[in-house]
Amino acid sequence: MGRDATGRSVAELAGSGLLALVDDPADPRLGDVRDLGDQRFRRRHEGDELFVAEGFVAIDRAIDSGHDLRTVVLLPSRVARFGRHLDWCRRQGVDVVVVERELLHQVVGFDLHRGVVAVGRRRPGLSVGGLVAATAGDLAVLEGLNDPENVGVIARAGRAFGLDGMLLDPTSTDPYARRSVRVSMGEILYLPIARAVEWPNDLAVLSSAGVEVWALTPDHDADDLWSLTEGRGPESRVALCLGAEGHGLTDDVFAVADRRVRIPISDAVDSLNVGHAAAVAFAALGRSRATPT
């Protein structure tokens, strides 16, 4: 059995009320992590209220970003690493449950090899105007991205290069989906996020607030990203629109965007994966904001 940093055993920690030992798969405290691989069940259970964070890094970032947790489930061998959060969990009323691996597999529905998973409460979604007001830098705009792993990659890259927030069109996947949170290593939990209602007309809200809307495309007649970002003023703001793999952005977005922008790549390569393209573009935007004028 695991021990925390002070050497207390799991049994001692349970006796002090810091965690609970559970051996019944029907225990209601396991309800939040039940059937994690069943998307229909998870959509019903989580709705717009909850999210799942797998692994220590994502859970650390969920706590650090100010999200409220309500359940943490972990293996005995993971108690020592999680021990530093136990007092915080007790103060916040978070259920910390310790189970054996076989029981965790039975409840979750697959082998959760990280051995620790948490369920937290989502922040209320922002309006487009609220997103602009809550941020001061560049934004990512996603249209038609239905792969949660791509959304997670984009969020992680955005955080790495100073992105300030994210706007999704009505058809893009749930940014708080388990795979998005996992692939982003929890970084998506730091980003203010809005979901557009009137698409693509909501992009006009960005433009009217002084945020220049750039539509990313591989077309050779688009403006060169390197030239646009060279010497860009630190006060300027860009909303970079990214489309799904294959068909990219729709004509409606190109029609309302302020610029069509391309990453100059080798003619031998047709295009980049949307996650790679996002990272390159965010790096260019972030470097230009960091460069004194």
Side-chain angles (χ1 to χ4, degrees), residues 2-264:
R3 294 178 178 271
D4 73 349
T6 66
R8 291 175 294 179
S9 69
V10 171
E12 290 170 330
L13 292 166
S16 66
L18 286 169
L19 51 80
L21 297 173
V22 170
D23 58 9
D24 180 1
D27 192 296
R29 288 169 293 188
L30 297 174
D32 273 351
V33 300
R34 195 171 304 283
D35 295 330
L36 290 185
D38 186 334
Q39 293 187 17
R40 289 186 178 181
F41 171 77
R42 296 310 305 182
R43 281 197 295 268
R44 292 195 305 271
H45 182 75
E46 296 169 25
D48 294 326
E49 178 188 359
L50 305 176
F51 69 90
V52 176
E54 299 175 50
F56 287 120
V57 174
I59 294 172
D60 288 346
R61 287 168 182 163
I63 294 172
D64 182 64
S65 62
H67 283 79
D68 295 328
L69 301 185
R70 73 177 199 175
T71 307
V72 178
V73 180
L74 63 160
L75 301 177
S77 61
R78 304 300 193 263
V79 170
R81 168 65 171 79
F82 191 75
R84 61 196 178 97
H85 294 310
L86 287 175
D87 288 331
W88 178 88
C89 286
R90 178 160 61 179
R91 292 193 303 271
Q92 299 297 320
V94 181
D95 286 328
V96 180
V97 179
V98 177
V99 300
E100 295 294 341
R101 182 172 292 277
E102 293 78 9
L103 179 56
L104 182 62
H105 189 165
Q106 180 180 350
V107 172
V108 169
F110 55 87
D111 183 18
L112 191 73
H113 67 273
R114 291 175 177 83
V116 56
V117 59
V119 176
R121 297 178 179 87
R122 304 182 185 206
R123 293 196 180 111
L126 296 170
S127 66
V128 180
L131 177 65
V132 174
T135 57
D138 298 324
L139 306 171
V141 179
L142 310 185
E143 185 190 38
L145 265 74
N146 54 18
D147 185 340
E149 295 192 7
N150 276 337
V151 174
V153 167
I154 290 168
R156 187 176 180 185
R159 281 278 297 164
F161 295 113
L163 194 77
D164 219 18
M166 183 179 287
L167 171 63
L168 293 89
D169 83 315
T171 69
S172 288
T173 193
D174 179 8
Y176 278 97
R178 177 174 62 90
R179 285 193 293 159
S180 294
V181 175
R182 184 190 69 212
V183 171
S184 78
M185 299 294 287
E187 297 293 352
I188 200 166
L189 301 175
Y190 289 95
L191 290 174
I193 297 174
R195 173 80 70 174
V197 177
E198 298 293 334
W199 186 258
N201 297 334
D202 279 340
L203 293 177
V205 177
L206 304 180
S207 296
S208 64
V211 182
E212 193 167 4
V213 178
W214 292 3
L216 198 64
T217 174
D219 292 346
H220 284 272
D221 59 350
D223 296 328
D224 185 306
L225 176 67
W226 303 156
S227 299
L228 289 177
T229 55
E230 184 177 353
R232 186 168 70 106
E235 300 303 319
S236 66
R237 298 184 65 183
V238 167
L240 184 71
C241 299
L242 301 156
E245 300 285 347
H247 56 73
L249 294 168
T250 62
D251 291 340
D252 289 340
V253 171
F254 286 122
V256 299
D258 297 302
R259 289 183 181 275
R260 297 167 68 253
V261 180
R262 71 180 296 268
I263 298 170

